[in-house]
Amino acid sequence: MRLITNLLFPQPSSCALCERKAAQGLLCRLCQQDIEMIDGQHCERCGRPHEGLCDDCVGRPETFFVMNRSAVRYNEKMKEVMSLYKFRGQETLAPLLADLLIPAFTRYYSSLAVQAITFVPIHEQRLKERGFNQAQQLAFLLSLKTKVPVINLLERNRMTEKQSKQHRSERLHRLEHAFSLRPNPPSLGNVLLVDDVYTTGSTVNECARALAKAGMKVYSLTVAR
Ligand SMILES: [Zn+2]
Ligand SMILES: [Zn+2]
C-alpha cells in the first residue's frame, strides 16, 4: 500500500501544512497532534461523539443509511487539510487522509461483508474545476488496501451550493433527490459509501436514498465528522 501510494503521490520531506520537517507521514509532529481521533462513545447512527442517538439522527424525517462512522473530528486543523486538498488541489494529501480512513474501516467494518465501495459523486462542472473527486480518490485508496472493489454507482443530478454557505434547513432541503443511481447497477447487498466529511448527514442520506431504492444496505465512512 505504502509503495503504491508513494508512486502515485510522492511524499515531500517538509510538513504539508507548515514549514517544519515532516515526521513519519506527511505532517510534522505538531500538526499531527492537532488531529483528533474519534474514539469512545458515539452516536450509534452517525458516529458523532455522543451517547446514544444524537438530536440530528432523532430529528431526521427518514434515514436511509444503516450507519456512518468517521475517523477524526472536523476541527480547525482538519478544515485546513481539507481545504488544501479540495480547493487548492493539493492531491499529495490524499494518502494522509487514506491513512486516517483505513484504520476506521478496520475498526468499524472489517467484520461486515462489504460487497462494494462507492463514493459521493461531485457535479461534472466541479470535477472540471477541481480535476478530481476527493471521495472517489479516497474510495480508490481504501479499495487498494481492502481489496473490496470500487463501483461508481451514483450520479449527481444538479449542482448544489457549497454546503458551508447555506443554513442547515436550506441544505437539508436542497440536497433532496440530488443523487440518482447510474443505469444498470449490479445487484448488491452491503455497500460502503465513502466521503471526505460528514456534516449534517444530508449528503450521505440522499446518496443512501438512491442506493436503498436498488435494495442496497448502505454503510458510510468519512474521514472527518
Ligand atoms: Zn506541520
Ligand atoms: Zn447521530
Side-chain angles (χ1 to χ4, degrees), residues 43 45-46 54 57 225:
C43 168
R45 182 58 68 97
C46 73
C54 76
C57 288
R225 167 81 177 85

Side-chain angles (χ1 to χ4, degrees), residues 162-175:
K162 287 205 179 99
Q163 294 212 357
S164 50
K165 293 193 181 141
Q166 298 170 6
H167 293 296
R168 185 185 157 75
S169 56
E170 270 180 279
R171 194 157 56 194
L172 291 174
H173 181 68
R174 266 196 224 173
L175 274 174

Side-chain angles (χ1 to χ4, degrees), residues 15 17-18 20 27-28 31:
C15 175
L17 303 178
C18 72
R20 282 183 288 263
L27 301 183
C28 70
C31 286

Side-chain angles (χ1 to χ4, degrees), residues 42-48 50 52-58 60 65 198 225:
H42 45 69
C43 168
E44 57 206 61
R45 182 58 68 97
C46 73
R48 131 191 305 170
H50 190 275
L53 269 182
C54 76
D55 293 346
D56 279 7
C57 288
V58 171
R60 191 179 299 115
F65 59 99
Y198 181 112
R225 167 81 177 85

Side-chain angles (χ1 to χ4, degrees), residues 82-198:
M82 289 300 183
S83 141
L84 284 172
Y85 176 47
K86 279 158 67 173
F87 306 123
R88 302 275 194 89
Q90 211 166 301
E91 285 181 73
T92 49
L93 286 169
L96 165 75
L97 301 176
D99 280 351
L100 297 171
L101 202 64
I102 290 161
F105 175 89
T106 308
R107 179 169 176 193
Y108 300 113
Y109 294 131
S110 56
S111 59
L112 183 77
V114 178
Q115 288 184 284
I117 296 172
T118 197
F119 51 87
V120 174
I122 59 176
H123 194 272
E124 229 169 281
Q125 198 179 317
R126 188 148 293 149
L127 190 61
K128 264 188 210 149
E129 293 161 9
R130 192 173 296 166
F132 65 95
N133 173 355
Q134 69 282 356
Q136 182 171 16
Q137 221 164 47
L138 294 170
F140 168 71
L141 293 174
L142 182 64
S143 169
L144 280 181
K145 183 71 182 178
T146 58
K147 312 285 183 244
V148 179
V150 178
I151 307 181
N152 186 1
L153 293 168
L154 292 164
E155 53 197 9
R156 196 154 196 141
N157 300 329
R158 56 181 187 270
M159 188 89 158
T160 40
E161 284 294 302
K162 287 205 179 99
Q163 294 212 357
S164 50
K165 293 193 181 141
Q166 298 170 6
H167 293 296
R168 185 185 157 75
S169 56
E170 270 180 279
R171 194 157 56 194
L172 291 174
H173 181 68
R174 266 196 224 173
L175 274 174
E176 233 169 81
H177 303 283
F179 304 94
S180 53
L181 214 53
R182 295 169 70 90
N184 310 313
S187 161
L188 293 165
N190 296 337
V191 169
L192 185 76
L193 177 69
V194 168
D195 203 5
D196 52 345
V197 183
Y198 181 112

